[in-house]
Amino acid sequence: MTSIHILDDITVDKIAAGEVVERPASVIKELVENSIDAHADKIEVEILAGGTSFMRVTDNGDGMDNQNARLAILRHATSKIKQVDDLMSIDTLGFRGEALPSIAAVSRFNLITRRPQDDLGTTIKLTGGHIDEIEDMGCNIGTTIKVEDLFFNVPARKKFLKTTTTEANKINDFIIKLALSKPNIAFKLINNNKIAITTPGNGSLYDAIECIYGTKVSEELLPIEAITDDIKVTGFISKPAIIRSSRSWQTFVINGRVVNSRIISKAIDNAYHSLLPKSGYPFVILNIEINKRTIDINVHPQKAEIKFEDESLLFKTIYHAVLEAVKPNDNQALSDFAIPVTDKALHIEKTVPEQINMDLSENMPSTSANSFKQNSINHISSLKNNTTPSTTDLNKFRQARETLHPNLSNHHSNTIQETAIQDYQTNTTTKPQTDINISSKENLTNCQNSTQLLKEAVNLTPIGQIDDCFIVAQGPNGGMYIIDQHAAHERILYDKFAKQTERIPVQPLLMHLFLDVNNSELTLIEENQQILYDLGFNVELAGQNQIRLKEVPADIKPQESEDIFREILISLSQLHTPTPQEIRHSCLAMTACKAAIKAGDVLNITQMKIILNELAQTTLPYTCPHGRPTIIKFSTYDLEKMFKRVQ
């Protein structure tokens, strides 16, 4: 049996260094957090070769005197805590008491520091943990630490480092997150003698985001704010125009510390739900203030994760905060939701995105209770029997036209808009049972109502269709907007369905449908029969592996009901342990998709206007329930640039 012995100091230091110093980014993390704890408001980081050959962190913080500088390089020495009880109420970012000696043990280390009240500062040089020099010297107020030749004496660790570009990117990502968590500190990162990051340090989170990510990101942000008795949440989340394929640019800050949290990520996903295309994640920066006694930051060696006393409370607070942020407010117009043309490629998905759990029964606005699609098709047929509108109605419409379309020529305006009002009168006189409604209480049965609708939807002016699929409109301040008529109507119908707190309106089938199903489908139907019933599908067992479909939602065609029901079963079979809300969302999204107007359906100007008006009144007009964009914007500058009118 081998004997037990005490390890020498060199071995102990290298073992400790292995726990603290994983890569150059680990060194930068420890040093920058120390600078923040020293109350610095300017921090400069400089690296060469991804930090493997040279790292320097300079701050204007409190600094140290000679005695404290000597103690700082010793193991288990710290100014952050004094006793074990202090671990539960830490205000600082670091406290390990091992960072500096561990870093010095595997590098060539140089510490220069001075307090404001001292005339001279102190410099300490170490090589592989051995002190080479300690002396007084003149220097700036604050602390500067240089780390060179990282892992020079631990070649086994050095060979496992990634490329210098990868290591530099790790440092870059860390500085970005830290700069977002501390907008009151001016950060500067210099990589290979080039400035990579700089922030103003003026306390404005929005300005910090703009400096780091640019105006294209900052202009697409929505503010988040929620305050309860125990938790305060502030920050920003991006519109669907700005998404990425990973969570790398989602930053969560709890009591000033950047952390990772599955609970927070899940709350954001649930609130954002169908705005996300498959594998897409929005830009998020959340600053969360919570009682220090209700969290434990010691569950992770690098303090990257936190344990919460009440996870459900945090989840609900963030969920509702994000949900309120992405909902349009009363001051927003439809043009505010358009995706800039330069970013539209970020949203193109060829597959149906996975859906995320969300309770869809709350806070949904009222929309039409009648089928818009069927109305549209019936209305197109009615154009063959147009009648001439009254002079009074035309005069009213011309007055509205002058307000809505001051820039259009009289001839062009008369041709389009007067034809539209004729369409409306024909539809309301020849086929009243298929009138196009904007709500269950507002029937467009005459020209006066249609004029009022146009006034309400003045934000965008429809011009026509492209390929009977896309609506083209002009914005209030110029520019061109292209709306996917199917995606837009899908969002409208989805919101109408989702607002139903009880059963969705149904239509009994004159001839019941008998469908053959396999055992797995039959199990799905039995497990979710009540949910399917609430969604408008009245199903009952009709024999062995056979069901009877008696009622379907009022907004779908009876001849399409079997296909829709079978697709819903396929969707349910692909969900893993779904919740009732997830099943509801999947079914509603499928039903809305099948009931919406399709590519190839011809619309007149008034029908286009109704779609735009109702889309503006939905809760999430940015995308359809599957995550595809509903509206894309070409600004006047974009158009001028395409035709090379501007550079």
Side-chain angles (χ1 to χ4, degrees), residues 429-478:
T429 54
T430 61
K431 290 185 180 279
Q433 70 277 15
T434 58
D435 289 340
I436 301 175
N437 300 318
I438 60 171
S439 75
S440 58
K441 296 182 179 180
E442 294 178 343
N443 245 331
L444 296 185
T445 56
N446 53 52
C447 176
Q448 184 175 0
N449 286 347
S450 68
T451 303
Q452 179 62 30
L453 175 61
L454 290 173
K455 289 181 180 179
E456 294 172 357
V458 68
N459 181 248
L460 291 183
T461 305
I463 298 173
Q465 274 181 297
I466 298 177
D467 296 332
D468 295 335
C469 180
F470 303 103
I471 299 173
V472 180
Q474 179 175 316
N477 299 314

Side-chain angles (χ1 to χ4, degrees), residues 144-162:
T144 298
I145 296 179
K146 289 192 292 184
V147 178
E148 299 176 279
D149 297 332
L150 185 65
F151 298 135
F152 79 97
N153 56 349
V154 193
R157 294 293 301 276
K158 189 170 186 177
K159 72 177 183 179
F160 282 102
L161 292 177
K162 305 298 183 182

Side-chain angles (χ1 to χ4, degrees), residues 265-274 315 319 323 356-358:
S265 298
K266 184 64 175 177
I268 293 171
D269 289 347
N270 283 20
Y272 221 75
H273 80 301
S274 60
F315 181 94
Y319 171 85
L323 190 63
I356 301 173
N357 171 27
M358 173 184 176

Side-chain angles (χ1 to χ4, degrees), residues 112-138:
I112 303 173
T113 183
R114 178 168 79 91
R115 298 187 304 175
Q117 63 268 35
D118 295 336
D119 295 329
L120 293 175
T122 302
T123 179
I124 302 178
K125 296 181 180 179
L126 299 93
T127 302
H130 294 288
I131 298 177
D132 295 334
E133 180 182 343
I134 300 178
E135 63 179 4
D136 295 335
M137 67 174 294

Side-chain angles (χ1 to χ4, degrees), residues 489-560:
H489 194 221
E490 198 175 348
R491 167 57 63 185
I492 294 168
L493 290 178
Y494 178 85
D495 270 26
K496 185 190 76 172
F497 295 152
K499 78 179 181 64
Q500 299 290 337
T501 56
E502 298 179 355
R503 194 184 184 200
I504 288 176
V506 299
Q507 55 178 328
L509 295 178
L510 183 61
M511 301 292 293
H512 294 175
L513 287 178
F514 291 86
L515 308 179
D516 293 327
V517 293
N518 56 38
N519 291 333
S520 60
E521 291 174 332
L522 187 60
T523 301
L524 281 174
I525 294 171
E526 291 176 346
E527 292 176 349
N528 304 295
Q529 188 167 8
Q530 183 59 44
I531 295 176
L532 291 172
Y533 179 81
D534 293 338
L535 295 174
F537 295 94
N538 188 355
V539 185
E540 64 180 26
L541 189 64
Q544 186 175 5
N545 289 355
Q546 190 177 62
I547 61 168
R548 183 203 309 266
L549 190 59
K550 301 168 62 177
E551 295 175 333
V552 296
D555 288 273
I556 67 175
K557 291 182 178 180
Q559 59 267 32
E560 296 179 355

Side-chain angles (χ1 to χ4, degrees), residues 229-272:
D229 295 337
D230 302 307
I231 302 175
K232 178 181 179 181
V233 179
T234 57
F236 293 94
I237 190 168
S238 67
K239 299 176 184 178
I242 303 295
I243 60 170
R244 289 293 183 270
S245 59
S246 70
R247 299 187 189 274
S248 60
W249 67 346
Q250 293 187 351
T251 303
F252 310 140
V253 184
I254 298 182
N255 292 351
R257 185 186 300 274
V258 178
V259 300
N260 300 320
S261 174
R262 294 181 181 179
I263 295 297
I264 298 176
S265 298
K266 184 64 175 177
I268 293 171
D269 289 347
N270 283 20
Y272 221 75

Side-chain angles (χ1 to χ4, degrees), residues 368-438:
S368 172
N370 297 324
S371 172
F372 192 96
K373 177 187 177 181
Q374 190 61 44
N375 294 337
S376 301
I377 303 302
N378 292 340
H379 185 70
I380 293 167
S381 302
S382 71
L383 297 181
K384 298 177 181 179
N385 301 316
N386 268 343
T387 57
T388 304
S390 68
T391 304
T392 303
D393 288 336
L394 287 178
N395 288 336
K396 291 181 179 179
F397 193 89
R398 290 190 184 100
Q399 294 175 3
R401 178 198 63 208
E402 293 173 0
T403 303
L404 294 171
H405 313 287
N407 297 325
L408 296 179
S409 66
N410 289 336
H411 174 74
H412 181 72
S413 182
N414 287 340
T415 302
I416 295 178
Q417 303 292 4
E418 293 179 9
T419 300
I421 192 172
Q422 291 174 9
D423 294 343
Y424 250 109
Q425 287 196 331
T426 301
N427 194 35
T428 55
T429 54
T430 61
K431 290 185 180 279
Q433 70 277 15
T434 58
D435 289 340
I436 301 175
N437 300 318
I438 60 171

